[in-house]
Amino acid sequence: MTWLVILPLAAFFIACGRQEEKPAAVKAEKKLNVVATVAPITSIVENVAGDKIQLKGIIPEGINSHTFEPVPSDVKILATADLLIVNGLDLEIPTLKLAQANMKQGAPVLRVGDKTITEQEYIYDFSFPKDHGHPNPHLWLNPQHAMRYATLVRDELVRLDPENKSAYEANTAVYLKKLEALDQAIEESTKTIPEGNRRLLTYHDSWPYFARRYGFQIIGAVQPSDFSDPSPREVKRLIDQIRKEKVSAVFGSEVFPSPVLEQIAREGKTRYIDKLRDDELPGKPGEPQHSYIGLMVENMTIMFEALGGSTEALKKIDPAPVAGAYADYRRRN
Ligand SMILES: [Zn+2]
C-alpha cells in the first residue's frame, strides 16, 4: 500500500526535477514561432522582434492578397504557429479559416487592423462597397496606423514571451521613431505638391486611409469589388472626369497590370504610372529597402514626382529593419 503511494510520487518528483534542471540555453533556443500574412505586416513584426522569434510570411509577395487562398501544404505552417498576426478587416478570410481549423489549441490570432480603428472610422468605397460588408482594409498605407500595428505586435510578443521583453521594447522604440520620421517626411513632401494636384485616381483602391491622413482626395478607383474589369460605362465616366478635372496622373499597381487603366489615361490625356504597390516590398529579402518603410518611400517617390512635388525629404529616410533582416518572406514563384 505504502509503495503504491510512494512510487508515483517519486516519479512525479523526478519528472519535476528534470524539467527544472533543463539548461537555460536550451530553453532560450526555443523561439516563438510567429506567422504573419502580407509582407508589410511581416516587416513590421520583423522590426519589433529582430532575431528573437522565428517569423514566416504566409502570403507570397506579388500575388493578389485579397483573393489569396492558402494551399493544403500551408496547414503545416499554421499548425506549428504559436501566434498568427493578420491585418484583419476581412483581408485574409481564407487564411483565417484554415488557421482556425488547424492552429494549436490556445494559439492566439492578433488582428492588428481591427484593433487600430473603430467601426466608425472604416472606409467603404468603390472597390469595397458598404453593401458587401467588407471595409477597405489598407490601413498600413497610413504610417500612423503602422505605428499602432507595431505597438500591438510588441505588446502581444511581450505577453507571450516575457523573457525578451526588453528587446521587443527597445526595437519598437527605435522603430516608432523611424515611422514618425517617415510620417513627417510624407507630410512635408505633400506640401510641395501643388494643391490642385493632390488628387488620386488609382486602379487598385488602396489609398483611402493614406488620403485621409495627408489631405489627398480620392477621385476614383477603377477596380470593382470582384476584381474584374470596370464596365464600359464606368470607363467612360472616369475618362470624362479626368478631362474635366485635369488630373495630372493615374496610378496602376505592379500586382494588377491594367490595360483598362492605360486606356483611361490615354483617352483622358494624362500620364499612366503603373508602379505603385500596396503589399509587395521593393528589392529582395535582405536588402535594406525590402521593408515596410522601403515600400512607403518607393510609393511616395513615384507618386509625388508624378504629381509635381519634391521628394527631397524622403531621401533622408533609412528603410532598413531596425534589428536586422530575419523574416522568411514568401515570393511569387
Ligand atoms: Zn490591396
Side-chain angles (χ1 to χ4, degrees), residues 6-298:
I6 288 170
L7 271 177
L9 267 179
F12 176 71
F13 282 123
I14 290 164
C16 283
R18 264 198 213 124
Q19 210 163 29
E20 271 164 20
E21 276 161 26
K22 211 176 230 176
V26 174
K27 216 177 153 207
E29 274 169 24
K30 171 100 186 60
K31 291 179 184 175
L32 211 61
N33 205 345
V34 180
V35 176
T37 52
V38 287
I41 294 180
T42 309
S43 172
I44 291 169
V45 180
E46 179 179 53
N47 274 275
V48 171
D51 65 350
K52 301 297 179 208
I53 61 170
Q54 227 147 21
L55 174 60
K56 192 172 184 66
I58 196 169
I59 300 186
E61 290 187 68
I63 68 139
N64 179 356
S65 60
H66 301 268
T67 54
F68 171 73
E69 297 261 357
V71 294
S73 59
D74 292 339
V75 165
K76 223 167 110 187
I77 296 169
L78 294 166
T80 52
D82 299 310
L83 167 65
L84 172 65
I85 301 175
V86 305
N87 180 72
L89 297 181
D90 301 339
L91 176 64
E92 308 104 328
I93 290 172
T95 306
L96 274 169
K97 263 193 198 144
L98 195 71
Q100 266 145 14
N102 294 286
M103 278 178 80
K104 289 186 277 192
Q105 199 164 15
V109 176
L110 176 64
R111 293 168 165 83
V112 283
D114 295 63
K115 292 185 170 209
T116 292
I117 59 171
T118 63
E119 272 180 52
Q120 286 75 39
E121 294 169 301
Y122 287 0
I123 293 176
Y124 295 92
D125 45 33
F126 178 68
S127 305
F128 301 90
K130 188 151 198 184
D131 58 359
H132 288 210
H134 307 300
N136 194 310
H138 298 93
L139 293 188
W140 64 89
L141 294 165
N142 172 347
Q144 292 192 328
H145 292 332
M147 285 182 222
R148 169 85 176 145
Y149 281 21
T151 60
L152 288 164
V153 169
R154 176 200 62 198
D155 294 349
E156 186 68 352
L157 290 178
V158 167
R159 186 177 78 81
L160 296 172
D161 180 25
E163 268 180 46
N164 287 311
K165 179 174 190 250
S166 56
Y168 298 138
E169 286 180 345
N171 292 342
T172 307
V174 177
Y175 191 46
L176 289 176
K177 283 219 174 76
K178 289 183 75 164
L179 291 173
E180 228 173 273
L182 171 71
D183 177 52
Q184 276 162 19
I186 297 175
E187 197 175 22
E188 210 177 294
S189 307
T190 302
K191 289 183 190 141
T192 66
I193 301 171
E195 231 178 302
N197 286 2
R198 293 177 204 167
R199 295 176 303 167
L200 294 175
L201 177 71
T202 60
Y203 183 72
H204 186 51
D205 203 351
S206 38
W207 299 94
Y209 299 97
F210 163 88
R212 184 190 262 172
R213 163 71 188 100
Y214 301 106
F216 283 77
Q217 188 197 347
I218 304 276
I219 66 161
V222 177
Q223 189 178 45
S225 58
D226 62 357
F227 299 95
S228 65
D229 271 332
S231 67
R233 212 172 110 216
E234 185 61 20
V235 169
K236 189 185 173 305
R237 193 190 67 73
L238 287 165
I239 293 167
D240 290 346
Q241 193 179 7
I242 290 170
R243 284 185 181 158
K244 201 172 109 232
E245 300 194 28
K246 299 190 170 55
V247 173
S248 34
V250 299
F251 297 95
S253 81
E254 300 227 306
V255 177
F256 302 101
S258 168
V260 177
L261 188 55
E262 214 177 326
Q263 179 209 340
I264 291 171
R266 197 174 50 240
E267 291 185 29
K269 296 191 171 33
T270 187
R271 290 169 68 196
Y272 172 53
I273 289 143
D274 67 349
K275 291 277 180 278
L276 293 189
R277 13 165 123 224
D278 61 345
D279 49 26
E280 185 182 14
L281 308 181
K284 293 191 188 83
E287 292 179 347
Q289 73 271 33
H290 189 264
S291 70
Y292 164 72
I293 293 180
L295 169 87
M296 290 307 292
V297 169
E298 171 124 340

